[in-house]
Amino acid sequence: MATVGVISRRRELDGVRAIAALLVLVFHAVGFWARGAGEHAAIRPFVGRLDVGVAVFFLLSGYLLYGPFLRGRVRIGAYAWRRALRIVPAYWVALTVAAIVLPLHEVWANVPLFYGFGQVYRASTAGQGLGQAWTLCVEVLFYAFLPVWAIVLARSRSVWPLLALFLASIAYKGLILSTFDSKVGPLEPALIALPAFLDWFALGMGVALLETRGVRFTRPWAWAAAATGFYGASVALLWNARLDAYTHTEWLIRHLSYAAIATCVLITGVAGARALRWTPLVRLGEISYGIYLYHLLVLALLTRWGLIAWERYLHPYVLWTVFAFAGSVVLATLSWRLVERPLWRASRRASARPASVPASPSPSPDPHEPRRPRAPR
């Protein structure tokens, strides 16, 4: 997703986007369509943790969007317009295509709810429409929350407010979980609302804040190793966890371990990992929003077209992943070229207009960073 204003392109962060999108795609393709998350599947503890890609996306949004607020005053109207252009049209197109092709009758029965990012607040509709779009509902509210937060607190550049935000989000989750006597499903509305994820956003914002205070993250290999270690720990701690219902302890372990993994992945990119600059990965990062929007539609169509019959020739995990990836890339490329890129270019032209006076002195730019505009997620 695009940042506010025109800032230096970070190819490594395109790589981070690609990894996040691919994690979510494999989570669904292998975990559900190829039945890798089944009760007796040996791979379940491993594939069940691949939805950490959502946490990576949230931290990346916090990092990229908070940075410009820290560097100077952002025109709120322009910020809101860019956010809307980046997220809404592509989502509306994907939702419309899915609603027509599959078809999704629930979308036509309640158009304002699904097109207005409101389905996440009802238990009966949270997973309907584009099932993965519950995360977009969270993102949209974060976009509205961030300017208010920044206007009040960004000038201080203190880490304490972000720490308080992190702890408040943890307390919120503890309070909500205490109201459940039994296990909690993955799409419980109160636990997929913005307050439940403000700790993840705060971590991404914190990385941006530390950079503006002069911290330079190095040794990307060490951060990548830490991410791998935290992933292994989450697999071990949640070895017997189901994906359709979590105990209170499992839910908190999952959430906090994902925060640790995503933080390390983000800093791996911020620190400049060369592997993340690999051109194919960067290209996937450019179209990652489309991959995220269309991969469940592709999987549903592959089911309709009888791909399961091919499992006699190729292992299901490979079969569903390869076909889901190929179809998603095709549709994501069309989305990027026909919808997202034209609107992004329009937002760049708007960003080129002179900005208002900064609210506080901007830090000195990193001399190693190129002066080129960065493509959005």
Side-chain angles (χ1 to χ4, degrees):
M1 299 175 189
T3 59
V4 181
V6 180
I7 66 173
S8 302
R9 173 164 183 154
R10 302 285 292 276
R11 288 173 60 88
E12 301 87 349
L13 298 186
D14 284 326
V16 170
R17 289 185 187 87
I19 289 173
L22 292 175
L23 286 173
V24 174
L25 184 149
V26 174
F27 171 74
H28 287 125
V30 174
F32 295 93
W33 268 261
R35 303 167 301 283
E39 185 176 354
H40 302 293
I43 201 174
R44 184 182 71 174
F46 299 92
V47 73
R49 308 280 69 82
L50 296 184
D51 59 338
V52 69
V54 172
V56 175
F57 274 133
F58 283 1
L59 265 77
L60 191 58
S61 289
Y63 170 76
L64 290 172
L65 296 178
Y66 196 45
F69 282 99
L70 291 168
R71 295 184 180 96
R73 181 172 299 166
V74 175
R75 289 172 292 153
I76 303 301
Y79 160 83
W81 181 241
R82 283 189 291 270
R83 291 291 85 215
L85 284 180
R86 184 66 191 104
I87 295 298
V88 177
Y91 166 67
W92 280 356
V93 170
L95 179 61
T96 303
V97 170
I100 293 172
V101 171
L102 291 180
L104 301 176
H105 300 293
E106 69 271 15
V107 172
W108 306 126
N110 203 333
V111 170
L113 189 73
F114 287 94
Y115 283 83
F117 300 93
Q119 70 272 21
V120 72
Y121 305 108
R122 294 182 184 176
S124 60
T125 59
Q128 292 184 341
L130 293 181
Q132 72 278 34
W134 69 266
T135 64
L136 298 181
C137 301
V138 176
E139 289 263 14
V140 166
L141 274 188
F142 175 68
Y143 298 157
F145 164 84
L146 184 59
V148 178
W149 174 274
I151 289 170
V152 176
L153 294 166
R155 293 187 64 177
S156 71
R157 299 191 182 182
S158 170
V159 299
W160 295 110
L162 287 178
L163 178 60
L165 184 65
F166 180 92
L167 294 176
S169 181
I170 299 296
Y172 170 84
K173 285 183 282 290
L175 177 63
I176 297 299
L177 286 171
S178 69
T179 65
F180 289 87
D181 295 327
S182 58
K183 291 188 175 183
V184 182
L187 292 180
E188 175 59 40
L191 287 171
I192 56 173
L194 176 63
F197 296 104
L198 283 175
D199 52 347
W200 287 1
F201 287 114
L203 288 171
M205 294 161 67
V207 174
L209 176 61
L210 291 175
E211 277 198 319
T212 64
R213 295 180 61 171
V215 175
R216 289 295 176 261
F217 295 96
T218 58
R219 300 182 180 179
W221 58 269
W223 292 102
T228 304
F230 282 123
Y231 169 76
S234 70
V235 169
L237 291 170
L238 298 171
W239 189 268
N240 296 316
R242 298 173 58 90
L243 299 190
D244 57 349
Y246 296 91
T247 66
H248 297 182
T249 300
E250 288 172 344
W251 203 96
L252 287 172
I253 289 174
R254 173 175 172 264
H255 188 89
L256 294 175
S257 64
Y258 283 12
I261 297 167
T263 299
C264 293
V265 171
L266 172 61
I267 297 179
T268 299
V270 172
R274 292 184 179 181
L276 295 175
R277 303 175 196 168
W278 186 43
T279 299
L281 204 59
V282 172
R283 294 293 176 261
L284 287 176
E286 288 182 347
I287 63 171
S288 60
Y289 185 40
I291 292 175
Y292 193 76
L293 287 174
Y294 285 99
H295 73 280
L296 288 184
L297 168 62
V298 171
L299 285 164
L301 290 175
L302 291 173
T303 301
R304 176 187 295 180
W305 296 335
L307 186 67
I308 194 171
W310 290 38
E311 290 184 359
R312 71 186 71 176
Y313 307 112
L314 191 63
H315 194 285
Y317 299 165
V318 177
L319 178 70
W320 287 96
T321 299
V322 168
F323 277 80
F325 174 78
S328 299
V329 167
V330 170
L331 293 179
T333 300
L334 291 174
S335 176
W336 170 249
R337 293 184 176 180
L338 301 179
V339 181
E340 299 168 55
R341 186 168 61 181
L343 294 175
W344 173 60
R345 287 175 172 171
S347 70
R348 279 182 58 194
R349 287 193 293 269
S351 300
R353 294 197 298 262
S356 56
V357 179
S360 58
S362 298
S364 299
D366 186 339
H368 301 293
E369 290 183 340
R371 288 296 185 183
R372 289 174 294 164
R374 186 194 56 72
R377 168 158 64 88

